[in-house]
Amino acid sequence: MEDPGTRPVRQERIEDLHLDRVVASQPEIGPTPPDGGYGWLIVVSAVIYNVTVPSILMLYGFIILKSLREEDHEEGERMRVWDVDVALVPVIMTVIRLLLESWCWEVAKIFNMPRFTALAGLCMTVAGVLLSSYATSVYSNDHIVNIFAGISIGIGCALTGQQTDLIITHYFQDKLTIVQRIVKVAPSVGNVLMPLMIGYLCTIYSSDVVVMITGAILMQNCVFLASYTRPIYIERVIRSTYNMLRDAVEDDDEVIFSNQNEPRAASNPVSIQDEDANDVVVFKSNRNAREIMDPDVETRESGQQRFSSDFGVMFDGSTSNRFSSDFGAVDVSNYSRIIGYQELDSIDRNNPQPLYRETTVNAPSNSLVFAAEISPGSARRTASLKKNFITVINMVQDLNFYLYTLLHLCTTYSVLILSLFFPLLMWEENPTMNIWSISSLTAIGHAAALCFVFLCIFMPNNLNDKAKLCTIFCVCGAIGFYGVTLSTNKNYLVIWCMFSSIATATSGILQQSLYNSFNKFDTTATVTTANTLVAIVIMIWAVAYSYTYRTCFFIASLLQSGAACVFLVASFRRRR
C-alpha cells in the first residue's frame, strides 16, 4: 500500500507553492518577492540607466559653455540664465518630469508591461535630445524646438524612471531599501563619468554633433531595459486570473452536474462536473429541461408538493389560512388577535399613517417624502469623494508631508543648479580655462563627494533620526553653495562643489526614507501634491527673472539653510 505522505497529488501541491524558487510565507496575501536572482540583473540595468540619463543636465551645461565661448564677451560681464535659449531644455525637462511622475507610476502599475513602458520612455528621451541638437548654437536659437525637446525628455524620464522604481519593488522586499539606495547613488557616478566624456567630445566636435553622439549613447540603454520583465509569480497570477475569467465566460449556459451523480453526468457528452458541490440540485439549461435531483434529495422530498400556486389548500379549515387569496374573509376590525403590534389600535382608519412611528409619525398629512434608493454610480462617486477628502485631511495634518516637500524642493533645485551652471560659473571666474580643464575639475569635485556618498548605502534601514541627518547635510549644502558664490579660485570651487554634491546625493537618499514613512493609502496624493508644488516653484523662478549664475547658487544656499533650520526644529518633536 502506498504511503500517504508520498502521494503524487500532495507532491504537486508542494511544487505549486514554489513560485520563482521562493515559497510564499503568507499564502493568503500572495507569494513573497524573490529578493535576488533575476532581480539583480534588473538592478544592474537600473543603475546603468541612472548613470547615463540624469546626467543630461550636465550635457546642456557644457553645450551652453561651448556656445558662449564661441561668442565674444566683454571682460567682467556677468552671464545670465537665458543668454542661450537651449537652457530651456533642462528647465522644462525638470518641470515636466515632476508633474508627470505620479501619473506615470499609475500608468506603469495599470498596464503592467515593464519592458514596453521603459523602452517607450527611453525612445521619447532620446527623441527630445536629438531634437534639441537643432538649437544648440547661439545664432540658431529656436524657442519652439527647445520647448518641445524639454517636454519630450521630461515625459520619457518620468515614464522610464517610475517604471524602474516600480519593477524593483516586484523583485525585492527584505533587500528593497539597500537596492533603492544603490539606484539613488547611481546619478553621482554619472556626475563623475559624463563630464569627462562630454568635455572630450566638445574639444573635437561641434555642439550639435556632441548632442547627437550623446543621444546615441543614451539609446544603448535599450539593451539593458529590455531585461525588464514581470517576475514568474506575477505572470502566474495574471495567467490564472485570465483563465478563471475565460472559463467563467465559457461556462455560461452550460449543463452542470453534481459530483455525486457521476454515472448520469458522464452519460451526457456536453456536461461539466461541479467538483465543489456536495448536495446540490442540478438543472439542465436546455429548453423543456426537467429537474434532475439527487436521490437523497428526491427521497426526502417525496410525497410533498414543493411548489404550489394554490396557497389555499396548504392548510385545512381547522387552522388559520396563512396564504389566502380571499382577503374578504379576514375581519379587519378585530385586533384582539394581534399581540406584537397593539399600538395599531390608535391609528386612524380614515387617515392611515405609516407604520414607522419613530420616523414619520409627526410628518404632515399628504406630504410624506421617501428617499429614493441611491444608484451604484452615485454610491461610488460619493465614496470616492469621501476617500479623497479624508486623504487630503490626513495629508494636511501630516508633518512629514511638509518636510518631504521642503526637502524635495531643496534637492531638485540644487541638483539643477549644480549640474547646469557650475561649469559656466567656473569658466566665468576663470576665462582662460578650456572646456577639458573645466570638465576635469567638475568630475574631480563630484568624485570626492562620491567616496562619502557610497557610505550612505550601508546606513541602517530604519533611520530613527532622519531629521537630524537632514539638518547636517543641509548645512553641508548651504556651506557648499554659499562658498561657490564667494570663491574665484578654481581649487576652492572644486572643494565647494564637493560639499554641494554630498548634500544633494545624501538628500536624495533621505528623501526616499521620508517617502517610505508615508501611509501607503496616502502616498500617491502626497507625492503628487509635493511634485506639483516643486514644479510650480521652479517654473516661477524660471520665468520671473534672468538671474546671474552667482545669484542662482545664492538662492540654493538660502534654500539649504532654510531646510536645515526646519529639520532642526522638527528633530526636537516627540517621537511617536
Side-chain angles (χ1 to χ4, degrees):
M1 184 175 181
E2 187 179 4
D3 187 4
T6 60
R7 291 179 181 175
V9 176
R10 174 66 64 181
Q11 194 68 23
E12 291 178 4
R13 207 169 183 81
I14 294 176
E15 290 177 358
D16 287 342
L17 289 176
H18 288 75
L19 302 180
D20 215 11
R21 297 179 177 269
V22 175
V23 180
S25 59
Q26 295 176 327
E28 67 277 6
I29 62 173
T32 54
D35 265 328
Y38 188 80
W40 290 116
L41 179 60
I42 302 294
V43 174
V44 172
S45 302
V47 168
I48 294 175
Y49 173 82
N50 282 276
V51 166
T52 55
V53 174
S55 59
I56 291 177
L57 296 174
M58 284 196 169
L59 166 67
Y60 290 103
F62 284 100
I63 293 301
I64 294 173
L65 174 61
K66 186 174 178 62
S67 299
L68 292 176
R69 284 176 59 87
E70 296 173 355
E71 186 180 3
D72 295 331
H73 292 280
E74 297 181 2
E75 185 177 355
E77 181 184 1
R78 294 295 178 183
M79 302 293 103
R80 297 185 176 272
V81 173
W82 304 121
D83 285 348
V84 180
D85 283 348
V86 75
L88 282 170
V89 177
V91 174
I92 293 178
M93 177 197 78
T94 303
V95 172
I96 296 298
R97 178 179 58 82
L98 291 172
L99 292 176
L100 296 182
E101 273 186 346
S102 299
W103 302 105
C104 291
W105 175 275
E106 295 299 324
V107 168
K109 285 200 303 183
I110 292 173
F111 288 96
N112 203 12
M113 297 185 294
R115 183 182 295 117
F116 174 80
T117 305
L119 292 177
L122 178 65
C123 290
M124 294 196 69
T125 301
V126 175
V129 172
L130 296 178
L131 181 61
S132 65
S133 65
Y134 293 98
T136 55
S137 175
V138 177
Y139 306 103
S140 62
N141 289 332
D142 193 332
H143 299 288
I144 302 300
V145 171
N146 290 323
I147 290 174
F148 277 97
I151 293 174
S152 179
I153 298 174
I155 295 174
C157 290
L159 198 58
T160 307
Q162 294 304 301
Q163 180 60 75
T164 300
D165 295 340
L166 178 61
I167 197 172
I168 287 175
T169 61
H170 290 169
Y171 280 93
F172 293 91
Q173 182 175 359
D174 296 335
K175 302 176 183 177
L176 179 61
T177 302
I178 190 171
V179 169
Q180 288 176 337
R181 291 177 181 175
I182 292 174
V183 175
K184 290 292 183 181
V185 171
S188 299
V189 180
N191 292 339
V192 177
L193 300 178
M194 295 302 288
L196 297 176
M197 183 196 73
I198 297 172
Y200 175 75
L201 293 176
C202 288
T203 58
I204 302 176
Y205 304 104
S206 60
S207 299
D208 55 344
V209 177
V210 172
V211 174
M212 291 182 189
I213 295 176
T214 306
I217 294 173
L218 297 179
M219 195 61 193
Q220 306 310 308
N221 281 286
C222 65
V223 178
F224 302 98
L225 297 182
S227 64
Y228 284 13
T229 183
R230 293 186 294 257
I232 296 177
Y233 70 89
I234 292 183
E235 289 283 357
R236 293 191 178 182
V237 169
I238 294 174
R239 190 181 301 114
S240 61
T241 304
Y242 168 76
N243 292 337
M244 180 181 63
L245 295 175
R246 182 195 60 188
D247 294 341
V249 174
E250 292 179 352
D251 288 344
D252 191 18
D253 293 334
E254 293 289 343
V255 181
I256 304 176
F257 291 89
S258 172
N259 61 350
Q260 292 186 355
N261 198 9
E262 295 180 359
R264 187 181 303 177
S267 62
N268 193 332
V270 296
S271 64
I272 298 177
Q273 183 177 354
D274 188 355
E275 299 178 355
D276 297 328
N278 293 323
D279 294 323
V280 296
V281 178
V282 188
F283 298 90
K284 273 188 174 183
S285 60
N286 299 328
R287 181 177 296 179
N288 300 323
R290 65 181 182 85
E291 183 180 1
I292 303 174
M293 299 178 60
D294 186 271
D296 295 336
V297 178
E298 187 173 2
T299 302
R300 190 166 59 245
E301 298 287 342
S302 62
Q304 299 183 14
Q305 191 172 4
R306 300 176 67 227
F307 300 100
S308 175
S309 60
D310 187 5
F311 299 106
V313 299
M314 294 181 64
F315 301 94
D316 55 10
S318 62
T319 59
S320 61
N321 193 349
R322 299 175 62 216
F323 301 95
S324 175
S325 59
D326 188 6
F327 298 104
V330 181
D331 186 5
V332 296
S333 63
N334 184 12
Y335 293 100
S336 60
R337 59 185 175 85
I338 301 177
I339 297 175
Y341 302 94
Q342 293 296 334
E343 66 176 355
L344 293 176
D345 291 331
S346 61
I347 296 179
D348 188 359
R349 297 182 188 133
N350 296 326
N351 296 313
Q353 297 291 331
L355 298 179
Y356 302 97
R357 295 176 59 86
E358 65 273 14
T359 58
T360 60
V361 68
N362 297 324
S365 177
N366 301 325
S367 63
L368 295 177
V369 178
F370 296 93
E373 184 179 358
I374 187 171
S375 63
S378 300
R380 286 193 298 268
R381 287 189 293 270
T382 303
S384 178
L385 290 175
K386 290 182 178 179
K387 176 186 175 183
N388 294 335
F389 179 76
I390 293 173
T391 301
V392 171
I393 294 299
N394 293 338
M395 179 183 66
V396 172
Q397 294 177 349
D398 189 5
L399 179 61
N400 287 330
F401 163 70
Y402 301 99
L403 297 178
Y404 176 83
T405 304
L406 179 60
L407 185 62
H408 191 11
L409 172 62
C410 185
T411 304
T412 304
Y413 179 80
S414 299
V415 169
L416 176 64
I417 296 303
L418 184 63
S419 301
L420 187 61
F421 297 133
F422 181 76
L424 299 171
L425 183 61
M426 181 176 287
W427 174 75
E428 184 181 25
E429 299 296 340
N430 301 273
T432 57
M433 297 180 62
N434 55 29
I435 294 181
W436 173 249
S437 300
I438 295 174
S439 63
S440 301
L441 292 177
T442 302
I444 291 173
H446 288 287
L450 184 62
C451 299
F452 180 81
V453 172
F454 269 130
L455 299 177
C456 298
I457 299 177
F458 305 102
M459 290 191 300
N461 291 345
N462 297 323
L463 298 176
N464 296 325
D465 296 325
K466 292 189 287 289
K468 293 181 180 179
L469 288 175
C470 290
T471 302
I472 295 173
F473 291 120
C474 287
V475 169
C476 178
I479 293 174
F481 282 100
Y482 188 69
V484 171
T485 62
L486 298 179
S487 302
T488 57
N489 186 278
K490 59 183 180 181
N491 297 322
Y492 287 114
L493 288 174
V494 171
I495 295 175
W496 300 132
C497 175
M498 179 190 68
F499 280 99
S500 302
S501 181
I502 291 174
T504 54
T506 53
S507 295
I509 297 176
L510 296 175
Q511 183 180 334
Q512 183 67 42
S513 299
L514 286 174
Y515 174 85
N516 294 335
S517 66
F518 290 141
N519 186 341
K520 63 180 181 179
F521 297 105
D522 302 337
T523 300
T524 302
T526 302
V527 174
T528 302
T529 305
N531 287 345
T532 303
L533 292 176
V534 174
I536 291 174
V537 172
I538 293 179
M539 183 59 70
I540 293 175
W541 166 85
V543 301
Y545 188 70
S546 182
Y547 307 93
T548 61
Y549 301 146
R550 190 178 297 274
T551 304
C552 294
F553 280 88
F554 181 72
I555 294 174
S557 67
L558 291 180
L559 277 176
Q560 295 281 352
S561 301
C565 294
V566 172
F567 279 102
L568 179 62
V569 174
S571 64
F572 292 102
R573 63 173 176 165
R574 185 176 63 180
R575 188 180 304 161
R576 295 181 180 179

